[in-house]
Structures are given as structure tokens and as C-alpha cells.
Amino acid sequence: MNKQILIVEDDIHISNIIKMNLNIVNYETVQVYDGLAALEAVQNRQNQGSGSSARQFDLIIMDVMIPGMDGFQLMDRIRPLGIPVIFLTAKNAVFDKVNGLKLGADDYMVKPFDAIELLARIETVMRRYGKEEQLIHFKGIKVNLDKREVTVSGEKVELTPKEYDLLVVLLKNKNIALSREQILDKVWGFDYFGETRTIDTHVKALRKKLHLQDNIHTVYKIGYRLED
């Protein structure tokens, strides 16, 4: 079942960008544009009982400076529900960051931010709450994150540690063009000083071992993108 994220952002353009990036990686999203509407959306889920339509949001992405009820006030109201919250703000003030975290926010990002970074922060928070899926499916491929095991049509496929890490990065960022620099940072670490050509070698191996020749696309002068 796809994770459901509430986006609370009064800038419609920013809200739509967040929604687009989350939908690309299969998160379901609900958008509201002020604090009162956000509180109502959360309370409606809470009041609907245990029906399938009543499933509470798995995470809230919340701007601090929103009309009606600001993010800090809203956080104070919904904190007993235990929903993970990532604060967004255009301010870089230490006071706002400290205040938000003291109120129980799980993370804090200053706008403007990179979409890849936001997705990584969401993944980290989901993992902290045990909400991250431990199985990833893509066509006939199944990845067990706990066991670091990959199967194709039920048959186990042996990957090197870096091939496995690269596959997981591509799967978690499906349909997103990743630059070679982003891939190096996520798979080899920011302190890697080797050639970026090593990525091409590992991509070639994944294409062959997992029959992904038609799915891992080279993005000219940028990097790679995994597509259905």
C-alpha cells in the first residue's frame, strides 16, 4: 500500500512541485494550503474510525509560515497523534529550527531545496518510524532490504555490494534523472575520488544481470534514469 503524505504549503507552485516529485516515486499526496485546512484533514482521518478510508497520513510536509494557523501552532495540535513531520521554511533562523524540533518535528528543511534531498529526508524519517517498505518490487525483480537479497522471477541473483546499492538508489528514485555526482554521493560516498566511469560499469552489469536494458536509460550529459 502506497504511503500517504499531507503537503501543507501555501505557495501553490512549491506545493505542486513537491506533489509531482512524491507522486513520481509512488507516494500518495493530499495538498492543503493553510493550517486550518491541514488540521481539518488530519482530524477527519482521525474521526473516521478504522475504515480503509480512515488511514492516517504516514507523514506531513509542513511549511512554517502558513495562513490560518502557523506550522508551530499546528504541530502543537497534532503532536499527540504521532504523525512524522518535516518542516519547510524560507527562513534560515536558528530559533525557528530549534523551536520546530522542540515541538516534535522530525526534520527541518530550508527553501529552496533539492527534490532528491527531500526524498532522502522522507525516506530517513519513514525508516525511523518503521514505515519504510522492506520489499521493493519492479517488474519481475524483488529486493528484500532487510536481507539485501535480489531475486528475478523468484530466482536469486548475485550482485556485488555496490551493484546492490546502485540498484536500490535507482529503484527508490524511479523515473527521476540522477546525475553521476548524485549517484556517486549516494552509492560510493561524498569522499569518493575515483572515476565517474565506474558508474557506467556498474550500470552495464545491472542491465545484464537483471535484464534492465530497456529500463535503465542513459540521460545525455547527466546520468541515468530507471523507467517502467
Side-chain angles (χ1 to χ4, degrees):
M1 185 178 295
N2 292 344
K3 303 303 180 187
Q4 298 185 3
I5 297 178
L6 177 65
I7 303 169
V8 189
E9 167 61 67
D10 63 320
D11 186 313
I12 296 176
H13 176 67
I14 294 175
S15 178
N16 287 340
I17 289 176
I18 295 171
K19 174 184 175 65
M20 178 186 70
N21 281 282
L22 297 186
N23 290 165
I24 284 174
V25 294
N26 295 323
Y27 289 119
E28 295 179 6
T29 54
V30 173
Q31 293 169 282
V32 294
Y33 307 100
D34 64 73
L36 294 175
L39 180 62
E40 181 180 4
V42 171
Q43 289 178 336
N44 283 343
R45 295 287 184 103
Q46 186 72 11
N47 294 335
Q48 286 174 355
S50 59
S52 58
S53 63
R55 184 162 67 94
Q56 190 55 272
F57 295 107
D58 294 291
L59 183 137
I60 299 174
I61 297 174
M62 183 193 307
D63 188 16
V64 172
M65 301 306 294
I66 47 177
M69 175 187 296
D70 69 33
F72 296 144
Q73 293 172 312
L74 179 58
M75 182 73 216
D76 195 48
R77 295 286 298 272
I78 67 174
R79 182 170 46 192
L81 299 178
I83 305 172
V85 172
I86 296 176
F87 267 136
L88 303 178
T89 183
K91 296 182 178 180
N92 201 9
V94 174
F95 171 79
D96 285 342
K97 181 175 182 178
V98 172
N99 194 29
L101 295 175
K102 279 185 175 180
L103 285 170
D106 295 273
D107 208 342
Y108 191 102
M109 295 189 66
V110 177
K111 296 183 289 186
F113 50 83
D114 184 83
I116 298 297
E117 181 183 359
L118 176 61
L119 293 173
R121 299 284 190 97
I122 291 172
E123 179 185 318
T124 299
V125 172
M126 291 284 198
R127 187 184 305 117
R128 191 182 305 150
Y129 279 76
K131 292 175 176 287
E132 184 190 49
E133 296 291 347
Q134 296 307 305
L135 293 176
I136 302 177
H137 297 270
F138 181 79
K139 297 186 176 295
I141 300 169
K142 183 172 74 173
V143 180
N144 187 313
L145 298 176
D146 286 331
K147 297 180 179 179
R148 289 180 64 91
E149 183 179 271
V150 179
T151 59
V152 177
S153 301
E155 296 293 326
K156 187 175 179 180
V157 177
E158 294 295 338
L159 300 179
T160 68
K162 292 305 182 188
E163 288 170 357
Y164 172 86
D165 292 340
L166 175 58
L167 174 64
V168 171
V169 166
L170 291 172
L171 288 170
K172 288 185 175 181
N173 295 278
K174 187 175 63 174
N175 298 321
I176 295 176
L178 297 174
S179 70
R180 284 180 168 81
E181 290 73 21
Q182 288 172 321
I183 293 172
L184 280 176
D185 183 33
K186 290 176 178 292
V187 178
W188 279 267
F190 70 92
D191 56 349
Y192 175 78
F193 293 106
E195 292 288 334
T196 59
R197 296 292 297 179
T198 190
I199 299 172
D200 304 330
T201 302
H202 284 74
V203 166
K204 182 178 179 180
L206 287 183
R207 284 171 169 162
K208 182 177 180 180
K209 290 182 178 182
L210 302 176
H211 312 296
L212 292 174
Q213 290 87 347
D214 296 329
N215 302 102
I216 302 179
H217 296 269
T218 302
V219 183
Y220 182 61
K221 290 188 176 180
I222 297 179
Y224 293 96
R225 179 178 60 242
L226 178 69
E227 295 182 359
D228 290 326

